[in-house]
Amino acid sequence: MNWFLVSIKKEKEHNKNISIKSKIQNEFPLCEVEETVFQSHNINMIYATNQSIHNKQFQFGDLFIIGDIKIHNKKELISKYDLEYGQSNESLVIQMYKRKGIACIDDLVGEFSFVIFDKRYNRVYAIRDQIGVKPLFWVCKKDEYIFSSDIFLLKDFFDVQDLNYEYFGEFYERNGTIDIPSTPFKQVNRISSGHYVLIEEEKEVVSRQYWDLSDIRNEIRYSNESEYFEKFYEILNEAVNCRLIKGKYNSVLLSGGLDSTSIYSLAKMNEENSIASVSAVFDELKECDERDYFEELLMKYEDEGNYVNLDNKLMFEDFPNNIPFTYEPNVSSISSEFSINIAKVSVKKGFYNVLSGFGGDQLLTGSLYITRDHLKKLRIKKLFSFLTDYSIYTNTSAYQNMINYTLKPNIVKNFVRNESEYYKTIEEKLKKIPTYSKKELYFEISNAKAHLYIDRTIGGITGTDMNHPFLDRRLIEFMYKIPGDLRFTPEYSKYILRKSMRNILTPTITDRLNKTTHLAYTYKSLKKNWDSIIKVIEHPIIVNELGLISKEEWKENVGKWRNGLETRSDFWTLLAIEIWIKKLMRKVELN
C-alpha cells in the first residue's frame, strides 16, 4: 500500500513540514509505514508505504512528480520513447512527459494516480488511471492546492461536518457507483477515472477526459475462434504476471469459480514468481463450501492451499463497529469482514500481494442482449436459436425474453431509476455505442468501480495490496473490440474464458454451470446479530433527513432482509448510506 500528499502554494514559500505517517497509523493502528518528505520552495511532497522506500526521487530538474504509480507496459514505452531500462515509474513518466507533454498519459497502461508540477510554466497536472483503480482527491485553499491519494489525509484542510447532501442523492441514483467530481464533503473534490485536472496561474481549474471506453471505434476480427482464445489467453496472462512481485509474497483469493481459478492457474504457469492460494471454507454451511471445485485444481498444481474456516467468523459482529469506516459510503464495506478475514490469513502466511478474480463477472458475463445485435445484422436463425436455447436452459418465457432483450431492450432500466439524472446521462452515453453487447459491457465496467473503494481500507487494516487482473485496461479494450458472442452463449456465460483456460483448469471448473452463493452464511450472521443490527437501522436517517425512501418501504425491506427474502435492488445502497452517516457522526463525536 502506498499513500501520498502534495501541497503546492500559489505564491508563498512553505514554512512548515507536513507528515502523513501519523494520520495513516491513526486510521490503521496496526499498519507500519515508512515516510519520506520532499520540500522545495512552494511545494511539499510526502510519500508513505508499508513496504521499504528505496531512493524515492521527486524532482527531475524543473519537473516534480509524486504518486502511486504502477505501469504495466514498460517494455513498450521504453521502445516507443527510446528510453533506458531500469528507470523508476516516476522517472519513466517524466521522460515521456518531456518528449510528448501531457499527451503521454494516453500511452500509459497500469494503475496510477499522480501529480506533476511543471515549474517552468507553473502548471499542475493531476492524473488518474483509465479504469479508476487508484483514487485521487484534491482541495483548494485560498493560497494552496492539496492533492492526496486518500480523503482522510486531507482532514487538516477541510471540515468533515460540512457535508455535501446532494452527493447522497447521486450515490443513491448511481446505486453506489461513484466516479464523479463531488465527494461527501463540500470542500473535497475527486478526479474521475480517465481524467486529469490542469491548474494554471490565474486560470480556472480545468478537468479533461483523456480516455473513455465508449470512444473506441476499431474492432478486432479474426478468421476463427481459436485466434480470439489465444489472444485473450495472452493478454490475461500478461495482466496476471505484471501484478505479481518477485519472491514468495503472492496469493490468490481462490474460490471454485472460473475467475479466481484462472488467475491462480496462470500465475502457477509463471516459474519466476511463486503464488499461493487462500480460500474461505465451511464445514457446517456446506452449501457455501467450494472445496469440491478448487481442491482438484490444487492437486493438479501440487499445492496444498491455505484455508480460512468462516463457519463461526460471522459478519455483523459488534454491528456497526465491525464495519470499517471509509470516507465515502461503500456498499462493499458492509460485507467486507469476509474479505478481511481471508486477507489477514494471507498476510500472516507472508503473502501480502493479493490477486482476486474481481471484475471477471462484469467483463465476461454477457447476456441475451446480443440477440438485438443479431437482429440488426439479420441473423434471424441465430437470433431464434439463442432465444430458444436460453429460455429452455433458464425455464423462462421465450416470448418475454424476445420483448425484453431483442425488440425493446433497455439495459439501464433494471439498474437505474428512470426519473434520475444519472439515467439520462448513461442513456445519452450508450447512444453513441453501436452494439448492445458493447453497451452492456460499458455499463458493467462502469459499475465495477464501486468495489474498488474498499480495497485501500482493507489494505490499510490488513497490510495487503489488492490486485484485480480482470480490470486490466488492455483486457477491457480487447473484450470491447471483439464480437459479443464470445462473452455469451445460451448454454453458459464467460464463453471465451472457459475455452481459453480449458487446458490449464480442470473439467470440474470449466464445465461448471451453477454459482455458489453465501446466502446461508449471510442469513446465519443476520440471525445471530439481529438485535444489535435493528437498534442501529430501525430509525433511519435516509428516511427522516435525506428522504431517499419512505418509512414504510424501509421497514418492509428490513423485514425481508432479516428473513432471507428478496429485497428491493437498491436496499444495500440505502443501507450503506445509513451506516456511513451514523458512523461519521460517531467519529465526529469521539474527536
Side-chain angles (χ1 to χ4, degrees):
M1 279 284 294
N2 305 311
W3 299 264
F4 68 90
L5 182 142
V6 54
S7 167
I8 303 172
K9 292 276 189 178
K10 295 179 182 178
E11 295 177 359
K12 299 178 182 178
E13 184 173 344
H14 267 290
N15 55 16
K16 65 177 181 178
N17 288 323
I18 303 172
S19 173
I20 62 174
K21 180 176 181 178
S22 59
K23 290 183 174 62
I24 295 167
Q25 292 180 326
N26 284 338
E27 206 68 32
F28 309 115
L30 300 179
C31 185
E32 294 292 332
V33 299
E34 290 187 31
E35 178 184 73
T36 183
V37 178
F38 173 85
Q39 186 172 8
S40 175
H41 186 56
N42 66 330
I43 186 167
N44 254 356
M45 292 182 164
I46 309 99
Y47 177 86
T49 179
N50 59 0
Q51 307 303 320
S52 297
I53 298 174
H54 298 291
N55 302 319
K56 203 71 180 173
Q57 187 176 358
F58 302 101
Q59 183 174 5
F60 300 82
D62 287 335
L63 297 171
F64 302 81
I65 183 170
I66 188 171
D68 186 2
I69 310 171
K70 294 182 180 178
I71 298 176
H72 296 149
N73 64 331
K74 278 189 174 183
K75 290 182 180 179
E76 293 88 344
L77 295 174
I78 288 169
S79 175
K80 179 174 182 176
Y81 286 84
D82 192 24
L83 303 175
E84 293 181 5
Y85 282 90
Q87 297 189 67
S88 67
N89 288 320
E90 290 82 2
S91 176
L92 188 68
V93 171
I94 289 297
Q95 296 306 314
M96 292 170 60
Y97 177 82
K98 286 179 178 178
R99 307 279 179 89
K100 200 174 178 180
I102 196 59
C104 72
I105 61 177
D106 294 336
D107 296 326
L108 292 178
V109 173
E111 300 165 352
F112 48 83
S113 62
F114 61 90
V115 177
I116 293 176
F117 176 42
D118 190 334
K119 193 174 181 180
R120 296 168 301 176
Y121 304 105
N122 202 20
R123 285 180 191 150
V124 178
Y125 293 99
I127 303 107
R128 190 174 176 204
D129 68 72
Q130 296 92 343
I131 312 304
V133 176
K134 300 291 185 182
L136 185 53
F137 303 95
W138 65 285
V139 170
C140 178
K141 306 300 287 183
K142 184 177 180 181
D143 63 343
E144 185 178 12
Y145 291 103
I146 309 99
F147 299 87
S148 179
S149 58
D150 299 84
I151 292 178
F152 75 86
L153 295 177
L154 295 166
K155 283 196 295 182
D156 289 344
F157 305 97
F158 74 95
D159 182 359
V160 296
Q161 297 185 63
D162 191 10
L163 293 179
N164 174 13
Y165 285 97
E166 291 182 2
Y167 166 91
F168 300 105
E170 288 266 19
F171 186 89
Y172 175 50
E173 285 185 358
R174 294 166 183 264
N175 215 14
T177 301
I178 288 293
D179 192 26
I180 55 177
S182 64
T183 71
F185 309 102
K186 287 183 179 178
Q187 297 159 302
V188 181
N189 308 287
R190 179 202 330 276
I191 296 176
S192 302
S193 60
H195 283 69
Y196 71 85
V197 160
L198 168 62
I199 299 171
E200 293 184 276
E201 193 174 4
E202 298 182 358
K203 292 185 179 181
E204 288 189 8
V205 175
V206 176
S207 176
R208 292 176 180 163
Q209 186 171 39
Y210 70 93
W211 183 90
D212 186 65
L213 189 60
S214 66
D215 291 332
I216 295 174
R217 290 290 176 265
N218 56 316
E219 296 187 347
I220 294 174
R221 290 282 185 262
Y222 294 140
S223 58
N224 56 70
E225 281 192 342
S226 63
E227 292 183 75
Y228 292 106
F229 303 151
E230 290 170 8
K231 189 62 178 178
F232 176 86
Y233 181 99
E234 176 189 324
I235 299 173
L236 181 57
N237 187 47
E238 176 62 22
V240 170
N241 287 318
C242 69
R243 286 166 174 79
L244 297 173
I245 60 173
K246 291 183 179 179
K248 299 180 179 180
Y249 306 112
N250 305 294
S251 70
V252 174
L253 301 182
L254 185 66
S255 69
L258 270 168
D259 303 333
S260 64
T261 53
S262 295
I263 290 170
Y264 169 81
S265 299
L266 287 169
K268 276 293 183 183
M269 304 294 286
N270 185 325
E271 297 179 357
E272 294 182 5
N273 302 305
S274 64
I275 189 81
S277 67
V278 185
S279 306
V281 296
F282 301 85
D283 293 328
E284 176 191 337
L285 302 170
K286 296 289 187 183
E287 60 267 57
C288 300
D289 194 77
E290 295 189 276
R291 276 174 285 192
D292 288 346
Y293 296 100
F294 64 73
E295 281 190 336
E296 186 180 352
L297 187 67
L298 293 175
M299 290 176 61
K300 176 183 176 73
Y301 291 103
E302 300 178 348
D303 191 356
E304 294 183 358
N306 299 278
Y307 296 167
V308 186
N309 190 297
L310 295 183
D311 279 318
N312 296 304
K313 292 183 179 179
L314 302 177
M315 297 187 293
F316 315 125
E317 300 280 357
D318 189 27
F319 185 89
N321 300 322
N322 60 308
I323 296 175
F325 180 74
T326 55
Y327 280 79
E328 291 192 80
N330 192 312
V331 175
S332 301
S333 66
I334 301 172
S335 57
S336 61
E337 284 171 280
F338 188 93
S339 299
I340 288 172
N341 282 321
I342 303 172
K344 283 181 177 178
V345 171
S346 185
V347 171
K348 188 176 181 180
K349 297 282 186 178
F351 317 125
Y352 67 84
N353 190 59
V354 181
L355 279 65
S356 90
F358 176 74
D361 285 344
Q362 291 85 348
L363 180 66
L364 301 167
T365 307
S367 74
L368 209 55
Y369 285 116
I370 188 68
T371 58
R372 176 69 174 192
D373 298 333
H374 293 327
L375 177 63
K376 186 177 180 180
K377 294 182 178 181
L378 299 179
R379 297 172 179 167
I380 306 302
K381 184 177 180 181
K382 196 167 190 177
L383 184 161
F384 280 104
S385 174
F386 267 54
L387 278 171
T388 303
D389 291 346
Y390 177 83
S391 302
I392 291 171
Y393 286 125
T394 59
N395 194 28
T396 54
S397 165
Y399 173 76
Q400 198 60 51
N401 286 333
M402 175 177 277
I403 298 294
N404 295 338
Y405 292 100
T406 313
L407 301 180
K408 296 182 179 180
N410 189 330
I411 290 172
V412 296
K413 73 174 182 180
N414 293 325
F415 305 100
V416 182
R417 292 184 297 117
N418 291 12
E419 69 273 17
S420 72
E421 285 300 314
Y422 178 54
Y423 185 95
K424 298 173 186 175
T425 300
I426 198 71
E427 193 175 45
E428 285 301 312
K429 176 70 71 172
L430 295 186
K431 281 181 181 178
K432 72 176 188 177
I433 300 176
T435 68
Y436 271 78
S437 60
K438 284 181 170 59
K439 293 177 195 287
E440 182 182 38
L441 179 55
Y442 180 89
F443 188 73
E444 290 289 351
I445 291 300
S446 298
N447 287 339
K449 297 168 186 176
H451 173 88
L452 300 173
Y453 304 140
I454 194 65
D455 284 351
R456 296 188 66 78
T457 302
I458 293 177
I461 292 170
T462 64
T464 55
D465 280 328
M466 302 297 293
N467 297 273
H468 312 296
F470 284 111
L471 295 184
D472 189 279
R473 172 191 167 186
R474 295 162 294 191
L475 195 63
I476 291 171
E477 290 181 348
F478 175 76
M479 291 303 301
Y480 191 79
K481 294 174 184 177
I482 65 176
D485 305 61
L486 292 159
R487 292 176 66 223
F488 175 81
T489 65
E491 295 88 353
Y492 45 66
S493 62
K494 302 182 181 177
Y495 178 65
I496 193 170
L497 184 65
R498 292 176 191 270
K499 291 293 187 179
S500 303
M501 299 296 124
R502 188 165 290 276
N503 290 335
I504 65 171
L505 294 177
T506 61
T508 305
I509 294 170
T510 54
D511 295 339
R512 183 183 181 186
L513 298 180
N514 64 317
K515 191 177 180 72
T516 301
T517 67
H518 293 97
L519 293 177
Y521 176 69
T522 303
Y523 184 65
K524 182 180 178 181
S525 301
L526 284 171
K527 186 176 180 181
K528 181 181 177 183
N529 300 298
W530 186 251
D531 289 345
S532 60
I533 294 172
I534 194 62
K535 287 178 183 177
V536 175
I537 65 174
E538 64 180 337
H539 302 297
I541 292 172
I542 52 173
V543 170
N544 300 326
E545 295 185 32
L546 298 182
L548 298 177
I549 186 175
S550 71
K551 184 178 181 179
E552 293 72 26
E553 286 177 301
W554 178 251
K555 186 176 180 180
E556 177 187 349
N557 279 273
V558 166
K560 288 180 177 179
W561 184 44
R562 165 65 179 84
N563 293 302
L565 302 175
E566 185 177 355
T567 59
R568 52 188 286 163
S569 60
D570 56 11
F571 176 76
W572 283 85
T573 304
L574 291 164
L575 183 61
I577 297 172
E578 181 67 24
I579 294 171
W580 185 84
I581 291 180
K582 288 183 174 175
K583 285 181 73 71
L584 176 69
M585 293 167 61
R586 178 63 175 160
K587 201 173 185 72
V588 169
E589 287 175 8
L590 292 174
N591 291 335

